[in-house]
Amino acid sequence: MNLFDYFRPASLAEAVAAGSQPGSAYLGAGTNLLDLMKGGVLAPSRLVDLTHLPDLNRIEQLADGSTRIGALVKNAALAHDPDFARAYPAVAEALLSGASAQLRNAATVGSNLMQRTRCAYFTDPASACNKRQPGSGCDAIGGENRAHAVLGWSDHCIAVHPSDFCVALTALGALVEIEGPTGRREVAMTDFYLLPGDTPEKETVLEAGEMIVAVRLPPEAAAFAGHQRYLKVRERTSYAFALASAAAALKIENGLIVEARLALGGVATKPWRTQAAEAVLVGATPGKEAFENAAEAAFAEAKPSGENAYKIALGRRVVTRALMMAAAGTPKRMPALPASPFASETGANAHV
Amino acid sequence: MSDTIAIPAGATPASRTRFGSNSGQPMTRRDGVLKVTGAATFAADNHPEGLLHAVYAAATISRGRVTSLNVDAARAHPGVVEVLTPENRPPLALDPDTKPYPFAFLIEVLQDDTVRYAGQPIALVVAETLEAATEAARLLSPTYDAAPARVGLDAVEPYDPEAVGVGSPPTTEKGDIEAGLSAASQRVDARYETPGQYHNAMEPHAIVASWDGDRLTLDTPNQAIVMSTGSFAAWFGIPAENVTIRSPFLGGGFGSKAIIVGPQILAILAAKMLGRPVKLALRREQMYGPVGHRGATRQDFRIGIDGDGRLTALDHLTTAATSTFEDFIEPASNASHDLYATPALSSRHKAVRLDIGTPGPMRAPGEASGSAALESAIDEAALAAGLDPLEFRLRNYAETDPASGKPFSAKALRECYAEGAERFGWSKRPLEPRQMRDEAGRLVGWGMGTALFPAPMFQAKATATLRADGTALVETAGADMGQGAWTALHQIAADGLGLDIDSVEFHSGHSGLPDGGIAGGSGHTATAGSALHAAGTDVIAKLADLATNDENSPLFGAGNVGVEAQDGRLYRADDPGRSESYGDILARAGLSEIEGAGQGGRDPASAEERAMFSHGAVFAEVKVDPDLGQIRVSRLVGAFAAGRIINPRLATSQLYGGMIWGIGFALHEEAVHDRRSGRIMNANLAEYHVPVNADVPTMDVILVDEHDPYVNALGIKGVGEIGITGTVGAIANAIWHATGVRVRRFPIGLADLIDGASAH
Amino acid sequence: MNLSMTLTINGERRDIVLDDPRVTLLDLLRERLHLTGAKKGCDRGQCGACTILVDGQRINSCLALAVSYDGAAITTIEGLAENGTLHPVQQAFIDHDGFQCGFCTPGQIMSAVGLIAEAQAMGDPERIREAMSGNICRCGAYQGITEAVLDAQARLAGSKAETAA
């Protein structure tokens, strides 16, 4: 880790002022930033420690029915907040399927949104990576890319966005509240992340000095509580990143889907909301046929970026299954293995 | 020895003990309190006065030369004390490119600017703090003259190795393979592949080196403490007795801490150069380079089966990866030597030289990879014969060792099959695949595999000292890397002395003690245990001499009928009413203590006459999501016969551990090399997956009774490695049974089970 | 640059001056305060051997910048036993053989203590396996670990009930 200056601002204004200076990086819990600094991937000259700022660690119900989550709220605290988990069960399930209990206790909501890709060529400073070093090339292309993106990639970058949380947030139309040198603004999750195009180093719309202060779930997001799930397929049962995941939320009235939300993880360069698939679902009878049609639509534009064609077939099935699970209804209790194909509400594997 | 770890008295009830009453008891670990309170000291926990921190820079190319290092930048970093490169590295007493002693591995100690694999140390930074050393190592920013990397089994032409494993012949042939194959009514020809796997002990290799003149003290985890003093000493041209190794606890070894590795030598060198103690702990990613691994294999089988489901030929050809500069050829084909009866047997090995770190022994070397492939291939053969896999194995049960023709010293494999199958419910298994579903519609499959591991012994020494108060001290430089040596060896030692375990003080883990041999090969308990037991019986013999020749002893004159040692007293063998306490015998003789010594090792005649193995049978249930392909092992039952079990609680735990390694082998573990750079792209614990708790279902281990009168006087075999064998195949076979898909490349992943999968 | 901070470690208030902002909580404990119970298995939040409690919550101390935790209360494995009596989780790990080499054990135990305080898994072994999956044990003591957590949870619930009565 490089030497850096450590600065602990007393106010948001102080934070933004410090964070606007070249070489500064905002420190949340540090579970991702410190990891990348230890790996020599990032070397900020100054860390602006946000963790002692007041007022950013609250979960609030707003009068209009939205829920506002402060950027410093811990992932675990959010997932285990009973009101939140009841209103947005797929978000809680996604949170609990990510990383480990220890990391969820440390990592913050804001940091999760700013999490960088797990692409091994990004985290290996000896490899060419346009995201880490613009213009250096992409060694993931033609390299070991079984886990890479099949949606949203470009000839400059095929790295997958690693978050689970953001997939569920994206499905539910969350908004990101941003504070910066020019004041406050808000951006929809779907617009917050950028496609790699020919500037993969630019991952979000954040400008220099801007920071996330909160994430907001709009009033309409609460309408899906009865039918929403997050499903995540991985190479081991827990403590692994997604090979493919999906957050599915349905509003079902009189036996018909009246509104649908669907976002994909593990397969795209950003949390991938698929409105084409949502459109297929609206007006359909919940069932395998409609869900398979939606899955087709979700992956209509997908193409392998390397040795990962299986992810297209897999992704479609994940979508279909996630929709089936959502249609079946949100479980009363968080499954023992959140988001896992081996999840069982009752702990059926309980033969100690 | 003042700086050994004293094991506190356990909670064992001091009931009246009989000779042999400590062994066989499921005692909890004697080092348990130390380990649950954080008081157990591992190498990197030491902080001698004046300590410096060392971090090495590792090559990021796989072949070529280092053309520059920014030493100035590293030196300029605050806190940096020294930077060692090939240009200023002080001389060593040995040439690292020549085998210094048998079974040594050639190592990289900054001898030149050559890079032989990614991850090779290319410079060492020493600093006042760990933070400074770590960053300065990064600041070295090496440049290279790189040549194309050769990784993967197809990168180069194979060659015929002279030996495989540790000095084993590469080829064993019995009978006429071609005739056997011609005579077969069914053939299975199959190719299996296993990837490079890394030990990943939770404790990264670490060393704290302190010099005092020409005397060297090392805190470093080591599986062969006394032998290693000589090895370390040789590098520095000092006598072995000048080297002290303290290795009270190893944070896992699995074979990777049995040999001397380059980073250890560099740390010692830096300490000598700077006149201050130096600590070097490998970073996790550095565990994927200079400290060995399980080499990748490709295994080709040709199996012939007659109309009765009996083997007519078994041909097993392994092609194994080794480094460009050193030989460790995974002896995977040898797994076919000792399991199934066949009139024609052939095991052969080829090797390829790649730009990788040298492989080495890793938990069940040869046997694990070989068993994974063999047990899968045997399952294919059972299918070809139309037989239940267990029935097929029973039809091909080897009554004598297939390769050598020798009788087995003991073989309770039939009992393992029977007890394991019964516990698992194997008889309900449908023959055809894809027949079972769980309540959620997941595919369920059942598979089995035979487990086998040799029961070797090495050489060990021990001493025992009986003290005037009737307590004793026993000493041997054994190594506890989790297998439970602190407990099991202590139990055996107490039995040798006829004492309750709490009356016996046990010292181990220090090179100043008698040579406890190597903790490896599943032979440590047998070897060091035999030495300890012998040391105890030596003391008892001397004590008996004193008593039976002393007119004032109630045992006077009992020399012909003998005495028995029990609960701190000697008893006349023919009259338990006549006895005397150890303390009284010593007191009357005016002695403050009696010393005894013992050795452990195999009787050569016995070894010549018999084949010695532990056996087992593993049964696995897996669940597979029919659409998504994700796999989970839901049940494992293993039945093992491994001679006399000293501590059933600890032996069971070791077998669990081996079986969990089987889960990792079958489903998770694989080092992924970039084919262009040769670098391992998942050299970390987030992407090189080992099983986590949620991957491990409830497991069941059955310890099958086995009396083996030939392995050693105590009848002890080992259980450290056998658990992984059998399990891998059982899981692979269960996946086939669940899905109907036979995957012949490990690890088996969901991409293998998705229709139209293009990966793998 | 010297950074002053205060930590309460195992109940004892410690004023600490850091001469280097890079020091993690783990390295502070191990290399500077010589509290070596917490172990460094990966240094990257991938193994859990460094798990400690911060303000009662289990976290990976390797990915925690020490200076950022100014004012926090920390519990390490060294602070778990009281007056020489093992914590019920420690005793349960011994009784159920929830470890072999012992290297990951301090992290496992601190994680288990945190898990029990979270009260999410309760008596469900499947939930315990999931909740303990951030602690890798290469020796493969998972069965004993799961049993130990179940048992310790029951023991703690029992003693709580006794206190209440």
Side-chain angles (χ1 to χ4, degrees):
Chain A
M1 207 187 291
N2 60 296
L3 271 173
F4 52 82
D5 288 333
Y6 172 83
F7 176 66
R8 189 186 298 163
S11 67
L12 215 49
E14 257 185 53
V16 169
S20 299
Q21 292 173 25
S24 286
Y26 290 120
L27 174 70
T31 49
N32 191 220
L33 178 63
L34 294 178
D35 183 35
L36 293 170
M37 289 173 70
K38 286 182 180 194
V41 179
L42 297 178
S45 55
R46 166 197 288 224
L47 290 190
V48 180
D49 184 353
L50 306 179
T51 60
H52 294 254
L53 288 177
D55 305 328
L56 292 180
N57 60 352
R58 288 204 300 255
I59 306 167
E60 302 164 87
Q61 296 294 128
L62 304 185
D64 68 352
S66 23
T67 299
R68 185 173 184 276
I69 311 153
L72 290 180
V73 172
K74 307 285 191 193
N75 287 351
L78 183 61
H80 290 145
D81 182 277
D83 292 335
F84 183 84
R86 204 174 302 122
Y88 314 103
V91 181
E93 188 165 19
L95 277 168
L96 293 176
S97 73
S100 67
Q102 290 94 316
L103 288 164
R104 295 192 293 268
N105 278 341
T108 62
V109 163
S111 306
N112 196 312
L113 266 67
M114 296 305 292
Q115 190 179 176
R116 309 297 298 274
T117 181
R118 296 295 307 186
C119 172
Y121 297 93
F122 171 71
T123 54
D124 169 28
S127 293
C129 173
N130 289 320
K131 203 184 259 306
R132 180 170 26 78
Q133 200 183 344
S136 63
C138 172
D139 275 348
I141 295 172
E144 291 300 318
N145 48 27
R146 278 180 285 182
H148 282 71
V150 294
L151 285 165
W153 56 273
S154 73
D155 291 342
H156 301 273
C157 182
I158 62 172
V160 160
H161 193 275
S163 173
D164 297 300
F165 178 46
C166 295
V167 176
L169 288 177
T170 298
L172 292 177
L175 300 161
V176 185
E177 293 183 20
I178 298 164
E179 178 85 19
T182 57
R184 193 165 288 211
R185 61 179 177 131
E186 63 183 48
V187 177
M189 280 290 283
T190 40
D191 301 327
F192 182 75
Y193 296 103
L194 304 174
L195 288 174
D198 56 6
T199 54
E201 73 281 8
K202 182 104 179 98
E203 296 179 348
T204 70
V205 298
L206 289 184
E207 299 294 339
E210 285 192 319
M211 57 180 273
I212 298 167
V213 290
V215 175
R216 217 169 63 236
L217 284 156
E220 60 271 22
F224 297 91
H227 291 280
Q228 61 173 276
R229 290 302 298 270
Y230 184 70
L231 175 65
K232 175 179 178 183
V233 170
R234 342 162 213 200
E235 285 176 334
R236 65 181 172 191
T237 309
S238 184
Y239 207 8
F241 289 91
L243 283 180
S245 73
L250 299 172
K251 202 190 293 180
I252 301 172
E253 287 174 9
N254 303 319
L256 290 178
I257 299 168
V258 295
E259 211 179 337
R261 298 295 179 81
L262 185 66
L264 314 176
V267 291
T269 51
K270 64 177 214 172
W272 194 264
R273 181 153 171 198
T274 164
Q275 277 157 319
E278 293 173 6
V280 168
L281 291 166
V282 173
T285 309
K288 199 159 189 203
E289 191 187 343
F291 298 155
E292 283 177 348
N293 290 339
E296 266 320 299
F299 283 86
E301 308 292 319
K303 55 183 195 297
S305 59
E307 296 173 64
N308 56 2
Y310 76 96
K311 284 185 115 179
I312 299 174
L314 176 64
R316 286 196 188 108
R317 295 176 189 193
V318 168
V319 165
T320 306
R321 178 72 63 79
L323 287 165
M324 300 279 282
M325 290 162 59
T330 304
K332 285 192 185 65
R333 189 183 175 195
M334 183 63 66
L337 301 174
S340 168
F342 295 96
S344 53
E345 202 182 338
T346 54
N349 226 9
H351 42 59
V352 150
Chain B
M1 202 109 344
S2 62
D3 49 2
T4 53
I5 300 291
I7 294 298
T12 321
S15 59
R16 179 181 164 83
T17 58
R18 288 176 298 104
F19 193 78
S21 64
N22 294 290
S23 301
Q25 298 302 313
M27 294 176 183
T28 56
R29 290 175 196 265
R30 307 292 289 180
D31 48 0
V33 172
L34 292 175
K35 285 180 174 173
V36 301
T37 56
T41 308
F42 294 84
D45 297 342
N46 290 285
H47 296 89
E49 193 63 31
L51 182 69
L52 291 168
H53 295 265
V55 173
Y56 69 80
T60 56
I61 63 163
S62 297
R63 179 160 63 125
R65 298 176 40 241
V66 178
T67 50
S68 76
L69 289 166
N70 194 344
V71 175
D72 291 344
R75 282 188 187 279
H77 194 70
V80 171
V81 173
E82 186 54 272
V83 179
L84 271 76
T85 71
E87 286 186 11
N88 69 342
R89 190 269 267 162
L92 287 161
L94 296 178
D95 172 9
D97 294 320
T98 308
K99 283 255 188 205
Y101 41 85
F103 303 130
F105 279 55
L106 298 181
I107 59 178
E108 307 74 38
V109 283
L110 307 181
Q111 55 263 48
D112 54 38
D113 62 8
T114 310
V115 175
R116 310 193 278 200
Y117 60 91
Q120 175 190 318
I122 54 172
L124 184 82
V125 176
V126 189
E128 297 288 348
T129 67
L130 178 58
E131 291 78 15
T134 305
E135 174 61 3
R138 190 179 73 86
L139 291 170
L140 286 167
S141 310
T143 59
Y144 306 95
D145 180 3
R150 296 160 298 188
V151 295
L153 292 167
D154 296 313
V156 294
E157 285 299 308
Y159 72 99
D160 294 315
E162 286 177 17
V164 298
V166 184
S168 300
T171 302
T172 297
E173 284 177 330
K174 191 195 79 171
D176 186 337
I177 283 286
E178 300 306 329
L181 290 172
S182 302
S185 58
Q186 298 283 339
R187 280 275 296 266
V188 170
D189 289 25
R191 166 171 286 187
Y192 282 84
E193 291 190 333
T194 67
Q197 300 174 346
Y198 284 75
H199 302 78
N200 275 306
M202 293 315 296
E203 176 199 31
H205 290 58
I207 188 166
V208 176
S210 310
W211 287 90
D212 179 5
D214 66 350
R215 305 191 72 84
L216 174 62
T217 300
L218 301 175
D219 293 296
T220 194
N222 192 288
Q223 293 177 233
I225 299 169
V226 172
M227 187 178 85
S228 295
T229 57
S231 309
F232 281 116
W235 284 98
F236 296 93
I238 56 176
E241 57 268 26
N242 283 20
V243 177
T244 299
I245 298 176
R246 296 183 292 210
S247 182
F249 302 105
L250 292 84
F254 314 118
S256 75
K257 289 168 180 165
I259 51 168
I260 308 295
V261 295
Q264 291 173 309
I265 300 298
L266 292 176
I268 299 169
L269 198 54
K272 190 177 184 194
M273 184 179 178
L274 299 169
R276 288 171 65 178
V278 167
K279 181 195 291 193
L280 187 155
L282 266 64
R283 299 161 59 81
R284 177 56 58 182
E285 68 268 25
Q286 294 177 332
M287 297 287 285
Y288 296 76
V291 296
H293 70 281
R294 193 194 303 284
T297 70
R298 172 175 294 153
Q299 301 179 50
D300 290 303
F301 289 92
R302 291 187 301 159
I303 299 173
I305 313 140
D306 70 14
D308 292 329
R310 291 190 170 77
L311 296 177
T312 60
L314 173 55
D315 178 31
H316 189 168
L317 167 64
T318 295
T319 304
T322 189
S323 67
T324 55
F325 54 95
E326 179 61 286
D327 296 324
F328 186 88
I329 316 301
E330 193 69 21
S333 294
N334 293 359
S336 286
H337 285 178
D338 313 296
L339 258 181
Y340 300 109
T342 176
L345 173 68
S346 165
S347 77
R348 297 172 289 145
H349 294 86
K350 289 185 173 293
V352 291
R353 294 203 176 281
L354 304 176
D355 299 313
I356 58 174
T358 305
M362 174 162 151
R363 202 171 195 174
E367 302 294 339
S369 305
S371 161
L374 173 66
E375 288 304 308
S376 300
I378 287 293
D379 213 59
E380 294 197 63
L383 180 70
L387 290 174
D388 172 86
L390 176 53
E391 171 58 26
F392 184 79
R393 285 169 171 85
L394 288 168
R395 283 198 197 181
N396 291 285
Y397 196 87
E399 301 293 351
T400 56
D401 182 50
S404 66
K406 293 176 188 175
F408 289 104
S409 57
K411 179 176 178 177
L413 177 57
R414 237 186 264 283
E415 292 77 1
C416 294
Y417 284 142
E419 292 185 35
E422 171 67 24
R423 182 77 60 91
F424 186 82
W426 182 259
S427 63
K428 298 188 193 74
R429 177 185 181 274
L431 198 57
E432 295 298 316
R434 285 187 86 95
Q435 299 300 305
M436 300 193 292
R437 299 260 180 167
D438 73 359
E439 73 290 348
R442 298 179 197 104
L443 297 165
V444 177
W446 289 359
M448 67 162 298
T450 309
L452 175 110
F453 200 78
M457 284 182 80
F458 307 103
Q459 298 292 322
K461 294 176 187 164
T463 56
T465 307
L466 182 66
R467 300 183 287 218
D469 63 358
T471 66
L473 167 68
V474 293
E475 300 182 302
T476 190
D480 195 323
M481 48 195 184
Q483 82 279 37
W486 281 113
T487 309
L489 294 179
H490 198 168
Q491 287 175 267
I492 296 169
D495 280 347
L497 286 157
L499 284 171
D500 178 84
I501 193 167
D502 285 333
S503 303
V504 179
E505 195 177 327
F506 178 67
H507 286 180
S508 189
H510 190 290
S511 65
L513 303 172
D515 186 355
I518 182 167
S522 296
H524 194 41
T525 307
T527 311
S530 294
L532 285 160
H533 195 267
T537 51
D538 186 33
V539 165
I540 296 301
K542 289 174 180 171
L543 193 68
D545 259 2
L546 283 178
T548 56
N549 292 317
D550 180 347
E551 292 179 2
N552 295 322
S553 168
L555 301 172
F556 178 68
N560 291 333
V561 296
V563 295
E564 284 173 1
Q566 182 176 314
D567 199 18
R569 300 181 74 84
L570 291 185
Y571 293 83
R572 236 185 111 104
D574 60 349
D575 180 5
R578 293 168 69 180
S579 73
E580 189 170 27
S581 78
Y582 297 173
D584 287 348
I585 298 168
L586 282 172
R588 199 151 7 72
L591 294 174
S592 61
E593 58 183 42
I594 295 180
E595 286 185 29
Q599 297 206 7
R602 174 143 296 146
D603 166 24
S606 186
E608 191 52 43
E609 286 165 14
R610 295 182 195 271
M612 301 178 181
F613 295 92
S614 298
H615 293 89
V618 181
F619 298 83
E621 176 185 274
V622 303
K623 296 189 174 184
V624 180
D625 188 292
D627 305 314
L628 310 176
Q630 195 170 321
I631 306 161
R632 194 177 188 211
V633 176
S634 47
R635 207 151 59 90
L636 277 180
V637 173
F640 299 93
R644 186 183 189 198
I645 299 300
I646 299 303
N647 185 320
R649 180 194 303 264
L650 274 48
T652 299
S653 287
Q654 261 194 297
L655 290 163
Y656 285 157
M659 290 162 74
I660 291 171
W661 275 56
I663 296 175
F665 193 126
L667 302 182
H668 302 133
E669 298 191 37
E670 175 179 22
V672 177
H673 292 264
D674 180 275
R675 284 153 285 184
R676 301 155 303 181
S677 71
R679 280 196 298 283
I680 296 174
M681 298 310 294
N682 61 341
N684 59 67
L685 286 172
E687 272 93 14
Y688 180 100
H689 287 163
V690 301
V692 296
N693 201 319
D695 288 307
V696 175
T698 298
M699 295 190 298
D700 214 340
V701 159
I702 301 166
L703 299 172
V704 173
D705 280 340
E706 184 182 73
H707 174 63
D708 192 328
Y710 301 105
V711 277
N712 47 59
L714 301 174
I716 301 172
K717 295 175 176 174
V719 294
E721 296 168 273
I722 189 171
I724 185 171
T725 72
T727 305
V728 186
I731 293 170
N733 297 337
I735 290 170
W736 170 80
H737 191 240
T739 63
V741 179
R742 174 65 66 183
V743 183
R744 298 187 182 85
R745 183 188 179 284
F746 293 99
I748 301 173
L750 60 90
D752 299 306
L753 304 178
I754 297 276
D755 299 339
S758 67
H760 285 14
Chain C
M1 165 163 131
N2 279 339
L3 299 160
S4 297
M5 62 182 295
T6 304
L7 291 174
T8 302
I9 302 175
N10 298 328
E12 187 190 339
R13 193 187 142 100
R14 309 276 290 255
D15 294 316
I16 293 159
V17 178
L18 284 178
D19 56 4
D20 191 322
R22 295 173 292 191
V23 180
T24 60
L25 270 184
L26 177 62
D27 288 331
L28 172 67
L29 291 169
R30 289 185 51 78
E31 302 299 340
R32 291 166 188 253
L33 304 178
H34 296 187
L35 282 168
T36 55
K39 296 290 185 270
K40 184 180 285 189
C42 73
D43 207 26
R44 306 292 282 272
Q46 300 166 354
C47 79
C50 67
T51 303
I52 59 170
L53 300 184
V54 172
D55 299 328
Q57 304 266 309
R58 49 178 168 155
I59 69 162
N60 298 121
S61 59
C62 70
L63 289 184
L65 200 64
V67 63
S68 181
Y69 283 81
D70 188 7
I74 285 170
T75 309
T76 71
I77 191 76
E78 289 93 342
L80 212 54
E82 279 182 23
N83 307 321
T85 305
L86 294 180
H87 185 282
V89 173
Q90 292 173 312
Q91 188 60 52
F93 267 70
I94 293 177
D95 294 345
H96 294 276
D97 214 31
F99 55 91
Q100 293 182 30
C101 80
F103 192 82
C104 73
T105 311
Q108 298 277 0
I109 290 174
M110 296 315 293
S111 191
V113 172
L115 158 66
I116 292 169
E118 288 158 17
Q120 295 292 329
M122 307 318 285
D124 182 349
E126 186 82 324
R127 287 174 196 273
I128 289 171
R129 289 188 199 111
E130 164 65 22
M132 290 299 290
S133 282
N135 292 84
I136 292 176
C137 169
R138 185 57 157 163
C139 295
Y142 293 131
Q143 175 111 337
I145 290 166
T146 304
E147 288 171 4
V149 175
L150 272 171
D151 184 11
Q153 208 164 268
R155 289 188 209 189
L156 283 162
S159 68
K160 212 180 264 175
E162 249 168 57
T163 315

